[in-house]
Amino acid sequence: MDAAPSELRIDIRQVATLARLSLDAAETRELEGALDRILEYVAQLDELDLDGVEPTSHPVPLRAAWREDVAAPPLSRDEAFANAPDHDGTAFVVPRVV
Amino acid sequence: MGPEASATELLAALASGATSALALTEAALARIRAVDGHLGAWLRTDEASALETAARIDRRRELGQPLGPLAGLPVGVKDMICTRGMETTASSRILEGFVPPYDATVVERLRAADAIVLGKLAMDEFAMGSSSERSLRGPVRNPWDLERVPGGSSGGSAVALASGTCPLTLGTDTGGSIRQPAAFCGVAGLKPTYGRVSRQGVIAYASSLDQVGPMARSVRDLALLLQVIAGHDPRDATSLPDPVPDYQAVLDRPVDGLRVGVPAEYFQEGLDPAVELAVRAAEDTLRGEGAVLVPVSLPHTRYAIAAYYLIATAEASSNLARYDGVRYGHRTAEPTGDIDTLYSRTRAEGFGPEVKRRIILGTFALSSGYYDAYYLRAQKVRTLVRRDFAQAFERCDVICGPTSPVGPWRIGERSGDPLAMYLTDIYTVPANLAGLPCLSVPCGVDSSGMPVGLQLIGPPLGEATLLGAAHAFERATGHAARRPPEVHP
C-alpha cells in the first residue's frame, strides 16, 4: 500500500509499541500534534515526479570491505560486562524471556 | 601563551620551550574552571590523565624523542565520540555512566599525534538538535550573549573554542551540527566528505549522513586537525581509501580564477537581511581576491529538509534500538516482569523528548504500509539533491552561501516548535544528503551583533580547495580575530 502522506494520521500508540517506547498520555498528545505538523510539511515531497528516479541510500558507492581472515583479540569478559546493568559473570541478566 | 592562542602558535611555543604541555594543560583546565560554569560547554574533564599525558610529552621532548603533529595541544572531544576509560554519554541519560572499553579511531589518531584529550563536550542529546539546549546538564550558552543559544548539536565544541578554553575540538555533523554552531559562535568548522574520516567508535545517529570533523578558531588550525583525523580505516566499511593530501601545504595557494558558485536558492525568503548582507560582502571579498562568481542553481533545496528529516529519523530509529538496558547504559529500576516492558520503560526513562519524537517519526516512516510513501520517496529526493550539486560543480569549484538563514536565537525561543527548529537547517542539510565536504567561517555579525557564518561547499574530496578559499577569505578580513566579551561571574 502506498498511501498519500497528506491524508495520514499517525497511530502513535502502535508506532510506540514497534519502537519499544512507553509514552504517557501527555507525551502521546504532544507527539500527535508535532508529528501531524511535520507530516504535513513533508507532504510537499508529493509535488515531485519521482518516477524512474533511483533512490540514494548512501552518498558514496559502498564496496564490500574484506580483511585478512585472522583472529584478533576480542573484548575480555570483564570489559564486556563492565557497563552491564546486571550480569552473573557469564551472561547478561534479563527478566525471563520464555 | 595559553589555550586562547591558535594551535599553530602554540605548537611553535611548545617547540621553542616558551611554554610546556604541562603549563598549557594546567592553563586550559584553570580557564575551564574560571569560565565554563557560565557556559556549560564541558560535560567533564579528566584532569589527572590530561596532566599525566602532558608531563610525559614534555619528558619525551626533553629527551629529543620524535613527537606527533599535535604534541602537547589540549583538545576537546564531543561527547558523541567514544573515549577509552572516559565516560561517554551522547548527552543522554540512557548512556550516563557508560565508560567505553575502546577509543574511537579519531581519538586513537589524536593520541597517536600526541594531543592531550582534555575532556568531553556538551551537545544536544544524540546530536538531535540545532541549539544545544537539550544537553545532559541543561542549555549550553553562547559566550557572545549568554541568553542566546550557541547552535547545535556540537554547541559545546564551538563554545569551548570561542571561550578560549582550548585551541582545537572535534564535532560531528549529520545535518549541520559542526557548521551551524561554528557560525553561531564565530569559529571555524569543517564537515569532511562522507567517508573521509572514520566513524568507528562514534555513536551512530544517522549512519549515511554522520561525519566527524575539526573545529578551530582559524582555517590553518582546521587544516592541522583534519590532517590528523582524515584517512582510511579498515574498521569502518564506509571509509574512503583515497590518499589524504597535505592540507596545510595548499592553504596559501592563491584563489585567482577560482570559480565560486552562488546558488539563487540560498538567498530566498526566510533569510535574515543582516545575514544576507554579511554573506554578500563575503562574496565581494572573494571576488576581490581573484575568485570569479558564477550563478548556479540547486533547484531541489526546498525539498531537502523534508527528505533529511525522514531519512535521518528512519536511520536513528534503527540505530537507537540498541539502547535497551541489557548490555550497557540505563536500565529502569521499576519492576518489570517481561523483556518488552524492560525495554519500553528503560527507553522511556532514558531518552529525552526530541529523541523520542525522532524515534517515533523514524519508526513510522519505516513501518509497513508507509515505507514507500515516506522513506523511499525521501531517498529518491536525495538523488535529486545530489544531481543538483553534480550539475552545479560542472560550472564552479566551490559553492558559497550562508551557513544558517538566521543568527543565534534566544534560549527557549524555538524549543516549543520542533518544525521551526528543523527549518533553520535549510542550508546545511543538502551537503549531508549529498555527502559533500563543507565548512563555515566567520563573515560578520547580524543585527544583534552575533556572529554570522559563511558556508563553502565543495565537490567530493574537495577539502583542500575549501580550506584554500576559506584561508584566503580569512586573511582578507578581520572576522576570525574577533573574540566574544570575557565571561564574568
Side-chain angles (χ1 to χ4, degrees):
Chain A
M1 187 187 95
D2 188 355
S6 45
E7 294 162 17
L8 287 170
R9 278 188 72 93
I10 296 190
D11 180 350
I12 297 283
R13 291 196 177 280
Q14 161 66 10
V15 178
T17 304
L18 292 174
R20 301 293 185 274
L21 192 58
S22 332
L23 299 173
D24 62 29
E27 283 177 321
T28 306
R29 266 198 311 280
E30 192 278 332
L31 277 168
E32 268 167 356
L35 294 183
D36 272 354
R37 283 195 303 281
I38 293 166
L39 289 184
E40 210 176 285
Y41 177 78
V42 304
Q44 64 174 295
L45 299 187
D46 298 355
E47 295 166 11
L48 292 165
D49 178 7
L50 298 170
D51 281 351
V53 178
E54 285 296 310
T56 295
S57 59
H58 241 271
V60 293
L62 292 182
R63 290 171 297 269
W66 295 93
R67 62 167 171 78
E68 292 302 308
D69 187 14
V70 178
L75 284 184
S76 69
R77 186 175 286 188
D78 285 349
E79 285 173 314
F81 284 136
N83 285 292
D86 194 6
H87 70 93
D88 67 5
T90 60
F92 298 104
V93 175
V94 294
R96 192 182 174 89
V97 178
V98 284
Chain B
M1 192 177 288
E4 72 293 340
S6 79
T8 311
E9 289 166 335
L10 288 169
L11 284 176
L14 286 159
S16 73
T19 188
S20 67
L22 189 60
L24 182 56
T25 304
E26 282 171 344
L29 291 167
R31 175 124 187 103
I32 291 169
R33 282 193 296 270
V35 301
D36 198 58
H38 307 281
L39 299 168
W42 294 86
L43 286 175
R44 65 197 75 88
T45 54
D46 187 343
E47 302 208 358
S49 153
L51 293 170
E52 190 197 312
T53 308
R56 199 169 55 236
I57 289 166
D58 286 337
R59 270 200 307 279
R60 284 171 50 206
R61 195 187 297 277
E62 278 167 31
L63 293 171
Q65 293 177 357
L67 293 168
L70 302 180
L73 293 182
V75 178
V77 176
K78 186 180 184 180
D79 207 29
M80 196 73 163
I81 301 171
C82 283
T83 41
R84 185 186 173 107
M86 192 188 289
E87 190 184 358
T88 298
T89 67
S91 258
S92 181
R93 193 182 166 205
I94 209 153
L95 273 175
E96 258 191 302
F98 173 69
V99 180
Y102 52 77
D103 276 327
T105 297
V106 288
V107 174
E108 276 182 1
R109 285 173 174 254
L110 287 181
R111 297 195 204 276
D114 290 317
I116 294 157
V117 178
L118 207 53
K120 304 304 288 287
L121 294 162
M123 51 184 278
D124 287 298
E125 185 180 359
F126 280 104
M128 296 178 186
S130 313
S131 66
S132 300
E133 287 169 284
R134 298 192 185 281
S135 175
L136 203 53
R137 307 230 176 89
V140 184
R141 292 173 185 275
N142 193 316
W144 292 86
D145 178 348
L146 298 183
E147 298 307 313
R148 291 181 189 270
V149 301
S153 68
S154 309
S157 302
V159 172
L161 294 166
S163 60
T165 55
C166 71
L168 299 170
T169 61
L170 288 182
T172 65
D173 190 316
T174 303
S177 282
I178 285 174
R179 291 159 284 159
Q180 186 252 25
F184 278 18
C185 294
V187 301
L190 183 147
K191 181 201 87 72
T193 306
Y194 183 84
R196 177 76 295 185
V197 173
S198 169
R199 293 182 297 112
Q200 190 277 135
V202 180
I203 293 171
Y205 159 20
S207 303
S208 79
L209 302 161
D210 298 340
Q211 265 295 287
V212 179
M215 300 177 76
R217 286 183 296 258
S218 73
V219 174
R220 187 172 290 282
D221 286 0
L222 274 190
L224 177 73
L225 184 51
L226 180 62
Q227 197 76 51
V228 167
I229 60 173
H232 184 243
D233 178 7
R235 289 175 296 175
D236 174 358
T238 61
S239 174
L240 296 172
D242 306 65
V244 179
D246 184 340
Y247 295 118
Q248 302 243 55
V250 298
L251 278 184
D252 294 312
R253 207 183 269 172
V255 293
D256 225 17
L258 185 80
R259 296 171 304 162
V260 176
V262 182
E265 293 83 359
Y266 280 31
F267 295 90
Q268 291 183 352
E269 201 192 330
L271 177 61
D272 183 309
V275 173
E276 173 161 9
L277 209 62
V279 174
R280 294 295 190 192
E283 290 171 5
D284 289 341
T285 302
L286 285 168
R287 188 164 42 205
E289 293 297 299
V292 182
L293 301 185
V294 183
V296 294
S297 180
L298 300 169
H300 295 95
T301 301
R302 57 179 296 232
Y303 301 103
I305 292 272
Y308 171 83
Y309 276 94
L310 290 170
I311 291 168
T313 58
E315 293 186 13
S317 73
S318 170
N319 274 325
L320 271 60
R322 75 191 68 186
Y323 304 104
D324 55 10
V326 174
R327 291 153 301 159
Y328 44 75
H330 174 73
R331 175 187 289 195
T332 183
E334 299 280 313
T336 52
D338 64 277
I339 191 79
D340 276 324
T341 310
L342 174 83
Y343 296 155
S344 301
R345 285 202 187 145
T346 294
R347 290 160 63 78
E349 293 168 9
F351 292 134
E354 182 60 28
V355 176
K356 289 179 183 176
R357 199 175 287 130
R358 295 195 193 193
I359 289 174
I360 294 290
L361 179 58
T363 305
F364 172 73
L366 287 176
S367 62
S368 171
Y370 302 117
Y371 179 93
D372 286 0
Y374 288 104
Y375 186 61
L376 188 63
R377 198 183 295 258
Q379 286 190 315
K380 290 180 174 181
V381 175
R382 187 173 188 179
T383 303
L384 300 181
V385 170
R386 288 180 65 197
R387 279 187 201 160
D388 283 357
F389 279 113
Q391 280 163 11
F393 282 122
E394 287 171 8
R395 308 189 54 213
C396 65
D397 305 305
V398 298
I399 287 170
C400 137
T403 304
S404 165
V406 294
W409 52 88
R410 291 182 183 284
I411 291 170
E413 196 178 321
R414 287 174 196 256
S415 45
D417 186 352
L419 184 58
M421 184 96 84
Y422 298 172
L423 295 179
T424 63
D425 298 339
I426 179 71
Y427 299 134
T428 48
V429 298
N432 296 83
L433 288 172
L436 300 174
C438 39
L439 58 73
S440 179
V441 284
C443 73
V445 292
D446 69 7
S447 51
S448 311
M450 298 297 288
V452 171
L454 172 73
Q455 180 176 219
L456 298 175
I457 304 173
L461 297 176
E463 284 83 359
T465 309
L466 288 182
L467 289 164
H471 189 241
F473 174 75
E474 186 181 85
R475 270 186 316 186
T477 65
H479 300 304
R482 291 183 67 243
R483 294 286 170 260
E486 187 56 27
V487 177
H488 291 295

